[in-house]
Amino acid sequence: MHVAHEAWWILFVVFAAGIGFSLGLDSPWPWVVAGLLATGVATGFRDSDRVVPPQPLGLVAPVDGEIIHRRECHDPYLDRAAIRLSIAVRRWGVYYLRAPTEGTLQELKLGRQRPHASQASWIRTDEGDDIILVVSEGSLLGQRPCAAEFGQRVGQGRRCGMRRLARRLDVYIPSSCRVDVEMGEKVRAGSDVLATMVHNVPKIEAEQAA
């Protein structure tokens, strides 16, 4: 089990307080309380290794949670027809966010039609598919879902950021994708496939030949 580095200073304070109170009170109870608090902190900030499914065109869940919305819509970030999948983030799920697909991070410009653009990430795959991750409820405390620099690559199911106080994450995917989850379905970050990107192979080959 991994513990996010944001929890280290909290654990340090908890154990330091336990040492101080145990010396002052000459009692083992401060250690017991400190141990319980440390367990709670480690649980809230924990992460665990996940087995990424062998589906190169699959889009895996970025967080632990539950599917609460799946519908075709207009993507206000890239001004296109898309499918929006909304995930209610599980409070005691893993702390790290995971990239749904392999690709390169693109810069998403702020605009009036993009109220959450400061908490959004845009991933473009090698095949030219665009995936948008948006924290629509809660906060990442000033960070984007994928905290890497623009132009850097992320890997499918790999850690790319931290969920922090996020309560709901929206994933905008191309309208041609096949959705593989149902409403109310529980998903695990990095392991469960949300959707599969579908490409018109003959069209792609014709464009490459031209």
Side-chain angles (χ1 to χ4, degrees), residues 200-210:
N200 188 334
V201 177
K203 180 180 178 180
I204 295 176
E205 293 178 347
E207 291 177 351
Q208 292 176 344

Side-chain angles (χ1 to χ4, degrees), residues 171-192:
V171 185
Y172 291 88
I173 62 179
S175 58
S176 60
C177 288
R178 184 188 73 235
V179 178
D180 298 322
V181 289
E182 301 293 338
M183 288 286 293
E185 185 173 339
K186 302 291 193 303
V187 293
R188 299 178 76 243
S191 295
D192 293 335

Side-chain angles (χ1 to χ4, degrees), residues 8-184:
W8 295 351
W9 69 270
I10 302 177
L11 293 173
F12 174 79
V13 170
V14 168
F15 282 115
I19 293 174
F21 281 110
S22 63
L23 294 176
L25 298 177
D26 192 24
S27 170
W29 283 108
W31 277 111
V32 175
V33 175
L36 293 174
L37 289 175
T39 301
V41 171
T43 300
F45 287 84
R46 82 189 190 286
D47 189 44
S48 58
D49 293 329
R50 298 292 169 87
V51 178
V52 182
Q55 298 183 34
L57 296 180
L59 300 172
V60 299
V63 291
D64 288 349
E66 178 182 344
I67 303 298
I68 59 174
H69 184 95
R70 46 164 288 179
R71 182 177 300 174
E72 293 185 3
C73 67
H74 175 261
D75 176 2
Y77 298 90
L78 298 181
D79 191 22
R80 59 169 179 168
I83 298 173
R84 189 181 80 187
L85 300 175
S86 297
I87 304 172
V89 180
R90 187 154 61 91
R91 183 182 299 274
W92 296 105
V94 292
Y95 192 67
Y96 285 98
L97 281 161
R98 295 181 179 257
T101 184
E102 181 178 2
T104 304
L105 281 176
Q106 308 291 318
E107 184 174 5
L108 190 63
K109 301 294 184 180
L110 297 175
R112 186 174 299 177
Q113 302 300 321
R114 302 165 182 168
H116 303 285
S118 61
Q119 295 192 110
S121 291
W122 173 12
I123 303 173
R124 173 166 288 173
T125 69
D126 295 337
E127 294 79 20
D129 294 299
D130 294 311
I131 311 299
I132 299 288
L133 303 179
V134 185
V135 177
S136 54
E137 290 183 10
S139 172
L140 291 182
L141 302 177
Q143 283 196 354
R144 292 172 283 109
C146 292
E149 298 294 331
F150 299 126
Q152 290 188 357
R153 292 186 63 80
V154 294
Q156 182 193 42
R158 302 293 183 183
R159 300 179 185 93
C160 67
M162 302 178 185
R163 65 173 172 81
R164 297 189 174 180
L165 301 177
R167 298 193 302 273
R168 193 183 89 185
L169 192 73
D170 293 338
V171 185
Y172 291 88
I173 62 179
S175 58
S176 60
C177 288
R178 184 188 73 235
V179 178
D180 298 322
V181 289
E182 301 293 338
M183 288 286 293

